Amino acid sequence: MLRCAPRALKKQPIWVAPSRNIALTSVNRDAPATTGSKAVLPGHEYYPGKEEYSPVIGHREIVGHGEIPYYTDSFTVPCPAIRFREVDEALGKLREKEKGDWKLLSLEDKKTLYRASFNSTLEEVRAPSGDWKRCIGDNAILMALMFLGVSVIGFADPQYEPKTVTNEWVDAQTEYLIKRRVQPVDGIASWYDYENNKFKPTWSIFTTKETSKSVKTLSEKE
Amino acid sequence: VSEGTWLEKNNYAQFDGWELRQLINFVAADDGVPEPEIIIEVLKGCRNNNDYALATRFLEVVRLKGGNKMSETWPYIMQEIGPTMQELGISTLKEMGYEEPELWLENVDDM
């Protein structure tokens, strides 16, 4: 028990550099200010592998602080620690042009420079995605399938019909209610003429073609 | 420049690329729009570091810090920093077309 305690208290690093020679190199802060691109210099051409490489980020340049550099697009962190795109020959040439006068850059050059460092503009981050249409559409399809299933399967199979809906049950029910004289003021007993043993004409509001036949038989019985 | 704030007139033009990005991240987190004098120095810092993309990103941040009052703050700031932008050769966001979204990119949460 006591031997385990020191191991638990020992601090473990969050990210461990791989044991091979591939590792993140440190930036020389004493050097003059540059963007960090080593792609194109006179006599030094670019080839894959020349730029700092790491299995985490690839051939992208590290431009900011951060122990584990990763790229994000957000308004709260507008400048992430790495650029977005990897270094190419064309981009190296653009960087040389960037060191000169910026008035000589064309609009396309400026846009490629921006997209090389950043994936999307902050306006694109704010733009709506339109996901609500997909949500409502999926739900509508599922509800339609549900209604279809209930209307086709629920009423087709007699197994799913409740027995209290059949005319036999309803007739027996009405016979019982009339004998017991329930709801004499506003209900069923008020619609039944006990002197003539018939339903009053207003009962026809609650009948359909199917029930009217059974109602006629009932009134003929009593 | 308003006195007493942490964002005062300073030698931001001699900052490294790393320090400039840290500064811009703090500006995005701060509650307020920076003064035009500070914006000019940051743009000069971008020029010294030969980084054009960072300048446009900073201008986007400054524009969006206005929030609901973007239509009042942004024209004032463009009025103040217009001459320096023409000197350095930085084109405005309207010329680049970045005041509105340009491309449609799929949201990571919807993949």
Side-chain angles (χ1 to χ4, degrees):
Chain A
M1 300 282 276
L2 284 169
R3 274 184 215 165
C4 291
R7 199 182 292 166
L9 290 168
K10 188 173 150 191
K11 264 191 186 175
Q12 298 286 336
I14 294 161
W15 181 79
V16 180
S19 57
R20 292 176 290 165
N21 287 334
I22 296 166
L24 292 172
T25 60
S26 61
V27 175
N28 190 0
R29 303 295 306 280
D30 298 327
T34 58
T35 55
S37 167
K38 302 170 193 162
V40 175
L41 292 170
H44 298 263
E45 286 172 359
Y46 173 77
Y47 58 88
K50 184 179 169 68
E51 189 66 38
E52 302 169 343
Y53 178 78
S54 88
V56 178
I57 58 172
H59 288 290
R60 300 191 275 181
E61 301 172 30
I62 299 166
V63 205
H65 296 282
E67 187 180 351
I68 305 164
Y70 60 95
Y71 181 83
T72 46
D73 264 325
S74 76
F75 176 53
T76 53
V77 183
C79 300
I82 52 171
R83 296 193 196 272
F84 184 60
R85 297 216 186 267
E86 296 178 344
V87 184
D88 286 338
E89 288 182 21
L91 190 64
K93 286 173 190 167
L94 257 184
R95 293 253 181 251
E96 279 290 305
K97 211 174 161 188
E98 202 182 6
K99 287 175 187 174
D101 200 356
W102 281 352
K103 290 171 193 167
L104 304 173
L105 289 172
S106 67
L107 197 70
E108 283 180 16
D109 292 339
K110 292 175 181 175
K111 288 196 175 186
T112 50
L113 281 169
Y114 188 87
R115 294 287 173 182
S117 293
F118 304 108
N119 183 24
S120 66
T121 66
L122 293 180
E123 277 286 330
E124 286 162 11
V125 171
R126 289 176 76 208
S129 66
D131 196 46
W132 62 276
K133 298 173 196 172
R134 181 191 62 84
C135 291
I136 287 169
D138 284 352
N139 272 305
I141 287 163
L142 290 170
M143 278 162 67
L145 288 172
M146 181 190 74
F147 285 128
L148 190 84
V150 167
S151 62
V152 170
I153 297 163
F155 296 132
D157 197 347
Q159 179 191 352
Y160 296 107
E161 275 180 11
K163 57 190 173 188
T164 57
V165 179
T166 55
N167 285 329
E168 299 162 357
W169 189 283
V170 169
D171 295 341
Q173 198 170 318
T174 49
E175 201 176 333
Y176 176 79
L177 294 172
I178 287 158
K179 279 184 183 171
R180 294 283 294 178
R181 299 201 181 215
V182 301
Q183 296 175 349
V185 180
D186 286 323
I188 190 160
S190 66
W191 302 323
Y192 194 75
D193 199 357
Y194 284 99
E195 293 168 7
N196 299 330
N197 290 335
K198 253 196 228 180
F199 273 107
K200 298 181 187 171
T202 53
W203 176 249
S204 63
I205 292 166
F206 301 105
T207 58
T208 58
K209 279 184 189 173
E210 288 179 2
T211 55
S212 59
K213 287 181 201 169
S214 57
V215 165
K216 276 181 191 169
T217 55
L218 258 182
S219 57
E220 282 164 12
K221 264 189 210 172
E222 296 182 1
Chain B
V1 179
S2 57
E3 294 174 358
T5 58
W6 66 275
L7 200 61
E8 289 176 345
K9 191 158 171 143
N10 210 343
N11 59 339
Y12 295 139
Q14 275 82 41
F15 267 27
D16 194 6
W18 287 48
E19 300 282 341
L20 267 181
R21 280 161 195 262
Q22 204 176 28
L23 198 146
I24 290 165
N25 285 333
F26 278 122
V27 164
D30 198 24
D31 185 17
V33 181
E35 299 266 342
E37 298 176 9
I38 292 152
I39 296 167
I40 286 161
E41 300 232 349
V42 171
L43 292 175
K44 285 180 185 169
C46 293
R47 172 67 263 196
N48 291 332
N49 280 309
N50 301 320
D51 200 346
Y52 183 85
L54 194 65
T56 51
R57 194 72 157 184
F58 180 56
L59 290 172
E60 280 184 68
V61 168
V62 166
R63 177 172 169 260
L64 291 175
K65 284 312 282 184
N68 293 330
K69 311 249 168 126
M70 221 190 294
S71 56
E72 296 170 14
T73 56
W74 185 235
Y76 165 69
I77 282 167
M78 286 304 295
Q79 189 187 341
E80 298 277 324
I81 64 171
T84 51
M85 279 173 69
Q86 280 176 10
E87 274 178 38
L88 299 171
I90 302 168
S91 57
T92 61
L93 293 184
K94 222 168 196 179
E95 290 167 14
M96 301 271 281
Y98 286 163
E99 288 200 352
E100 286 167 5
E102 191 189 21
L103 306 174
W104 183 84
L105 298 167
E106 199 170 355
N107 200 355
V108 173
D109 299 328
D110 299 334
M111 287 182 181

